[in-house]
Amino acid sequence: GGSTAVPLTGIGTQAAQATVALSVASIDFGRAFVGQISSVRRVTLSNTGDVPLAVEGASWPTTHFRASSNSCVAAVVLAPSQSCSVDLFFAPQIATPISADFEITHNGVGSISRVALSGVGVVLPAGTKLMVEYVIPSLNYFFMTSRADEQALLDGVATFSRTGAAFPVYSGADAGRASMTRYFFPEAAKSASRGTHFYTLLDAEKSLLANVNPTNTYAAAKPFNEGLDSYALLPLVEGKGGSCAQGLAPVYRVFRGAQRFPDDANHRFTIDRAVYEAFVAAGWDDEGVRFCVPAP
């Protein structure tokens, strides 16, 4: 009883791995005040290969960067050409440059896909609070508030998003400061389906609005005085080509007026000159410098 040796032939093959691509390699969120939430930036992971990609999750090692939504969670399987995404924002808790790697782990080539995140936390000047800008993307409608209770409310409303823009305003009265009043025009746009807000610390504008609605009645398209919002300083020179005293940042006001944007009224306020110039170039009315705030 002998045995017969059977030769084994062939070459072993390794299971194919999916290849992946990230939409960005790095994100610089720029400067943000401690307590501010920046605008959202999206990271997309795509399966660029020919076999399924198993996602194992996304992570980041610091609470200074956070996610508002995440579809790159464990157990997600991406077929070829499919993708998942994570919406990230910067929320500095200390005043210092901050950096971290955002990672998505998977079973594809490389195992870990990384995005370098960076930003600079900036401390608020003493005696100030943040004026924060929001947008309703579906309406392209901008709104700002320095009221902490409103900010907390809007941060929990899915239809509102922070644009990432914010600037400090004074929280109390003092010599030379003027009170900033907020007005709301109900049913003033989009076939009376939405209103619009307006801020001013100019006495002439306050008087004009009071004359339009002397009893401060809440009525369609009438300026309703919603009271004091915060304090700021008057510019040295108001309007187009305006300026502020040294150490202060000019706040520019632009208006989406009826002449170019019928039935879509909206004011926007910004300390970012590039944003101001871009909106003027897009057809918004140039109302120039309207008030001054502590420079970031």
Side-chain angles (χ1 to χ4, degrees), residues 16 19 41 45 62 76 81 100 146 156 161 182-183 203 225 232 241 271 283:
T19 55
R41 300 285 298 275
L45 176 76
T62 171
V76 164
S81 299
S146 70
S161 301
R182 190 172 84 187
Y183 298 85
D203 288 337
N225 187 332
I271 61 171

Side-chain angles (χ1 to χ4, degrees), residues 183-254:
Y183 298 85
F184 181 59
F185 293 75
E187 303 173 29
K190 296 294 184 181
S191 301
S193 66
R194 75 155 172 83
T196 186
H197 285 86
F198 176 74
Y199 292 77
T200 185
L201 43 64
L202 302 176
D203 288 337
E205 290 183 337
K206 293 177 183 179
S207 296
L208 177 63
L209 295 172
N211 289 335
V212 173
N213 190 10
T215 59
N216 202 35
T217 302
Y218 191 91
K222 295 290 186 181
F224 180 73
N225 187 332
E226 293 189 327
L228 173 70
D229 190 282
S230 50
Y231 296 86
L233 297 170
L234 293 169
L236 297 177
V237 179
E238 179 196 331
K240 296 180 184 180
S243 62
C244 295
Q246 188 173 5
L248 298 176
V251 177
Y252 303 97
R253 191 173 78 194
V254 292

Side-chain angles (χ1 to χ4, degrees), residues 16-20 51-56 76 105-112:
Q17 275 188 294
T19 55
V20 301
V51 296
L53 173 72
V55 177
E56 298 169 9
V76 164
T105 55
H106 48 75
N107 71 342
V109 174
S111 303
I112 300 176

Side-chain angles (χ1 to χ4, degrees), residues 21-288:
L22 281 173
S23 57
V24 292
S26 63
I27 299 175
D28 182 359
F29 287 94
R31 294 162 60 88
F33 291 104
V34 173
Q36 178 182 352
I37 297 175
S38 75
S39 57
V40 170
R41 300 285 298 275
R42 175 163 292 182
V43 175
T44 300
L45 176 76
S46 301
N47 181 355
T48 58
D50 299 321
V51 296
L53 173 72
V55 177
E56 298 169 9
S59 64
W60 46 98
T62 171
T63 57
H64 301 292
F65 302 100
R66 305 179 195 174
S68 59
S69 66
N70 177 14
S71 64
C72 297
V73 294
V76 164
V77 176
L78 302 177
S81 299
Q82 286 188 332
S83 62
C84 64
S85 62
V86 183
D87 289 334
L88 298 170
F89 61 89
F90 182 42
Q93 298 164 36
I94 54 176
T96 188
I98 302 168
S99 61
D101 282 339
F102 167 71
E103 300 181 343
I104 302 176
T105 55
H106 48 75
N107 71 342
V109 174
S111 303
I112 300 176
S113 297
R114 292 184 175 87
V115 177
L117 307 179
S118 61
V120 180
V122 181
V123 68
L124 274 173
T128 68
K129 56 183 178 177
L130 273 180
M131 180 73 79
V132 176
E133 185 184 57
Y134 293 84
V135 64
I136 304 178
S138 61
L139 298 175
N140 192 30
Y141 176 70
F142 296 91
F143 167 75
M144 68 177 192
T145 178
S146 70
R147 302 175 187 183
D149 57 342
E150 289 183 340
Q151 292 171 8
L153 176 65
L154 294 178
D155 286 336
V157 178
T159 52
F160 280 83
S161 301
R162 292 198 183 204
T163 66
F167 52 82
V169 289
Y170 297 105
S171 53
D174 203 350
R177 297 178 189 172
S179 60
M180 189 184 309
T181 304
R182 190 172 84 187
Y183 298 85
F184 181 59
F185 293 75
E187 303 173 29
K190 296 294 184 181
S191 301
S193 66
R194 75 155 172 83
T196 186
H197 285 86
F198 176 74
Y199 292 77
T200 185
L201 43 64
L202 302 176
D203 288 337
E205 290 183 337
K206 293 177 183 179
S207 296
L208 177 63
L209 295 172
N211 289 335
V212 173
N213 190 10
T215 59
N216 202 35
T217 302
Y218 191 91
K222 295 290 186 181
F224 180 73
N225 187 332
E226 293 189 327
L228 173 70
D229 190 282
S230 50
Y231 296 86
L233 297 170
L234 293 169
L236 297 177
V237 179
E238 179 196 331
K240 296 180 184 180
S243 62
C244 295
Q246 188 173 5
L248 298 176
V251 177
Y252 303 97
R253 191 173 78 194
V254 292
F255 179 50
R256 193 163 61 201
Q259 183 176 355
R260 298 184 184 90
F261 305 93
D263 197 29
D264 198 16
N266 190 194
H267 281 89
R268 192 178 187 190
F269 301 77
T270 180
I271 61 171
D272 189 329
R273 187 171 180 87
V275 170
Y276 158 65
E277 291 175 346
F279 271 70
V280 171
W284 290 52
D285 296 342
D286 181 358
E287 299 186 344

